[in-house]
Amino acid sequence: MLRWIVFVLIYLGLSFYIVQALRSLFRQPWVYLVYILVSLAILVNFIYQFTAGEEAGRVLSRPKSYAFGFLLTMMSFKLVIILFLFSEDIFRILSGVYQKLFGESKEFSLPERRRFLGMIALGIAALPFGALLYGMYKGKYNFKVLRYTLEFEDLPDSFDGYRITQISDIHSGSFDDRKKIEYGVDLINKQKSDLLLFTGDMVNNKTEEMLPWADLFSTLEAKDGKFSVLGNHDYGDYIAWETEASKQKNLQDLKDLQRNMGFDLLLNEHRYLQKGKDRIALVGVENWGKGGFKKAGDLKKASAQIHPNDFTILMSHDPSHWSEEVLHDEKHYHLTLSGHTHGMQFGIEIPGWVKWSPVKWRYPHWAGIYKELGQFINVNRGFGFLGYPGRVGIWPEITVLTLKKKTLT
């Protein structure tokens, strides 16, 4: 309760502070009255959804996600404006103090707010405000196909030109537009890759979230099959279960559902993909994550029966597994496929120029292709979304990887 009181007081304090600026900028009272009403509506909805709303507790339902999204949007607007206003107020106070100490009148008075600075603040604040609203309206389904060609000296000849489609982080419990998801699934199939790999987090918490979408994702196909692994959200660790047995049943139901959808779910296991006399090894581990995330992945067990010289592709949901264990393992994993980070669903990407997201401070390998010690990893930005119900700058991704035999010169 104390946390809610502190939060409300801070929110209302920021709102009141901004109203003072709006009153100096606009003569029409309706402008700041609209701001007050919208700001209060967002606050009340957020408090309701996270206290007395449907599915109260730790389940992040769609209403909760949107309540959080609108709060985040409004807070970004407030904070940008306050950054300008607070800076100006410091200048105004210093000017007043100077006038008191050294001025002719010896009176303390604050200069009026500069209207042009307030207008600049509003203009700049409108950018993240609009971007976050766009991210919720359209950005979350702005699917992008990203293509990479990777060269390997020891790639078996028969696999030269082999195409792999990777998707990750479906988070079906967050979906709210079937036609958009149908478009995304169709886009995956249009790639007509040899192999389809899903690298975890099919649901947010419960298997039942995937049931309305299972028939649609069952239509995914690839010539050499489709394979999957589990992500941290698939275990149901982030909600309270009535019993441990119900939690384990939920996990087993998800495993069964993935198999019924046509996925070969790899639980610390491997498979061989054969083309004529050539083959490559596909290894799938359960979730292994640094910093408090579940460490069910067992790399040694999964690859115990693989020949050391086999060309090997690893599916591991969390990219921290690559840097912490995979890179320095005695087995050489030519290509690792991960997801998990979502690219934080927020950032700036201009191919060939800039790639930035705050998530880089948590995950050094957070999106796209990286190469170290002769080994590649691709970190998929995710198909779905979680928490903030949108994406800004970091769009939902379908990855197409083409394996090429590197010619020696």
Side-chain angles (χ1 to χ4, degrees):
M1 176 60 72
L2 179 60
R3 287 182 297 178
W4 280 111
I5 293 174
V6 172
F7 168 73
V8 170
L9 290 176
I10 292 174
Y11 185 91
L12 293 177
L14 296 178
S15 301
F16 177 78
Y17 189 46
I18 292 174
V19 166
Q20 306 313 303
L22 293 177
R23 292 179 68 176
S24 67
L25 289 173
F26 300 98
R27 304 302 181 193
Q28 303 88 348
W30 67 266
V31 175
Y32 47 86
L33 288 175
V34 168
Y35 166 76
I36 291 172
L37 291 175
V38 172
S39 190
L40 286 176
I42 289 173
L43 175 63
V44 170
N45 181 52
F46 180 80
I47 294 173
Y48 170 75
Q49 293 297 341
F50 281 83
T51 55
E54 185 181 1
E55 295 187 273
R58 297 178 67 189
V59 177
L60 195 60
S61 61
R62 278 191 288 271
K64 279 185 178 180
S65 292
Y66 276 96
F68 171 71
F70 284 121
L71 181 77
L72 181 66
T73 301
M74 181 58 71
M75 287 300 293
S76 72
F77 180 79
K78 293 178 186 293
L79 291 175
V80 171
I81 292 180
I82 285 172
L83 179 64
F84 280 84
L85 296 184
F86 187 68
S87 300
E88 184 186 25
D89 282 345
I90 291 176
F91 174 79
R92 293 170 68 215
I93 292 171
L94 290 176
S95 296
V97 171
Y98 180 85
Q99 187 68 29
K100 171 72 174 176
L101 295 176
F102 306 107
E104 294 181 1
S105 64
K106 301 298 181 183
E107 293 184 0
F108 179 80
S109 63
L110 294 177
E112 290 186 0
R113 292 186 184 278
R114 289 171 290 183
R115 190 171 185 272
F116 84 92
L117 191 63
M119 296 302 293
I120 291 174
L122 279 176
I124 294 177
L127 296 177
F129 181 81
L132 288 168
L133 287 179
Y134 174 83
M136 289 192 287
Y137 176 58
K138 279 195 172 181
K140 61 188 176 185
Y141 296 128
N142 186 23
F143 297 107
K144 300 295 183 183
V145 179
L146 302 185
R147 306 177 191 278
Y148 304 99
T149 298
L150 305 179
E151 294 186 334
F152 304 88
E153 293 180 0
D154 55 348
L155 179 70
D157 292 338
S158 298
F159 287 89
D160 186 24
Y162 198 71
R163 284 160 52 92
I164 299 170
T165 291
Q166 180 199 0
I167 57 172
S168 192
D169 299 87
I170 290 174
H171 287 289
S172 54
S174 301
F175 291 160
D176 54 14
D177 190 325
R178 189 171 183 90
K179 287 191 175 181
K180 296 293 186 183
I181 302 304
E182 287 175 352
Y183 168 78
V185 169
D186 184 57
L187 192 58
I188 296 170
N189 280 333
K190 282 183 176 178
Q191 306 314 308
K192 297 189 180 301
S193 291
D194 300 290
L195 189 67
L196 176 64
L197 303 179
F198 168 61
T199 46
D201 277 1
M202 183 167 281
V203 298
N204 296 344
N205 297 289
K206 296 181 176 181
T207 301
E208 65 188 43
E209 299 165 6
M210 190 63 191
L211 296 181
W213 311 97
D215 61 330
L216 182 56
F217 282 87
S218 295
T219 64
L220 291 173
E221 56 185 16
K223 182 175 62 175
D224 293 341
K226 51 188 183 182
F227 298 81
S228 63
V229 293
L230 297 176
N232 55 301
H233 279 269
D234 294 325
Y235 296 89
D237 286 341
Y238 305 123
I239 59 173
W241 297 89
E242 292 184 2
T243 64
E244 180 62 25
S246 60
K247 178 182 178 182
Q248 293 304 316
K249 182 180 185 303
N250 176 76
L251 178 58
Q252 186 58 52
D253 288 344
L254 182 62
K255 293 176 181 178
D256 293 340
L257 179 62
Q258 290 201 28
R259 288 164 178 148
N260 291 337
M261 291 166 59
F263 285 96
D264 187 350
L265 177 61
L266 303 181
L267 303 170
N268 297 322
E269 301 172 88
H270 79 279
R271 302 286 187 269
Y272 275 112
L273 304 172
Q274 195 85 29
K275 291 179 76 68
K277 294 182 179 180
D278 293 329
R279 68 179 186 178
I280 61 176
L282 178 64
V283 176
V285 296
E286 295 195 49
N287 191 80
W288 192 105
K290 181 182 177 182
F293 289 103
K294 181 181 286 293
K295 293 179 173 59
D298 190 334
L299 194 60
K300 299 296 184 185
K301 176 183 177 182
S303 59
Q305 299 179 35
I306 291 177
H307 192 277
N309 294 330
D310 284 331
F311 186 94
T312 305
I313 297 173
L314 172 67
M315 301 167 65
S316 181
H317 177 70
D318 191 317
S320 66
H321 190 209
W322 189 65
S323 55
E324 294 295 313
E325 287 199 341
V326 177
L327 268 178
H328 304 285
D329 190 82
E330 59 186 16
K331 176 76 177 75
H332 184 85
Y333 293 90
H334 296 75
L335 172 61
T336 298
L337 302 178
S338 299
H340 181 64
T341 71
H342 299 204
M344 204 175 171
Q345 298 168 210
F346 175 84
I348 302 171
E349 283 199 86
I350 303 175
W353 290 87
V354 62
K355 184 176 79 171
W356 178 87
S357 168
V359 78
K360 68 177 293 185
W361 296 320
R362 173 66 176 84
Y363 291 96
H365 311 102
W366 61 274
I369 297 289
Y370 302 87
K371 184 179 182 182
E372 293 183 24
L373 302 177
Q375 301 174 68
F376 288 96
I377 184 173
N378 180 62
V379 184
N380 183 284
R381 294 158 182 81
F383 185 88
F385 51 92
L386 181 69
Y388 165 61
R391 285 177 175 266
V392 178
I394 306 293
W395 311 119
E397 175 182 347
I398 299 163
T399 313
V400 178
L401 300 152
T402 301
L403 310 184
K404 295 293 291 183
K405 180 84 170 183
K406 186 174 185 179
T407 54
L408 300 177
T409 57

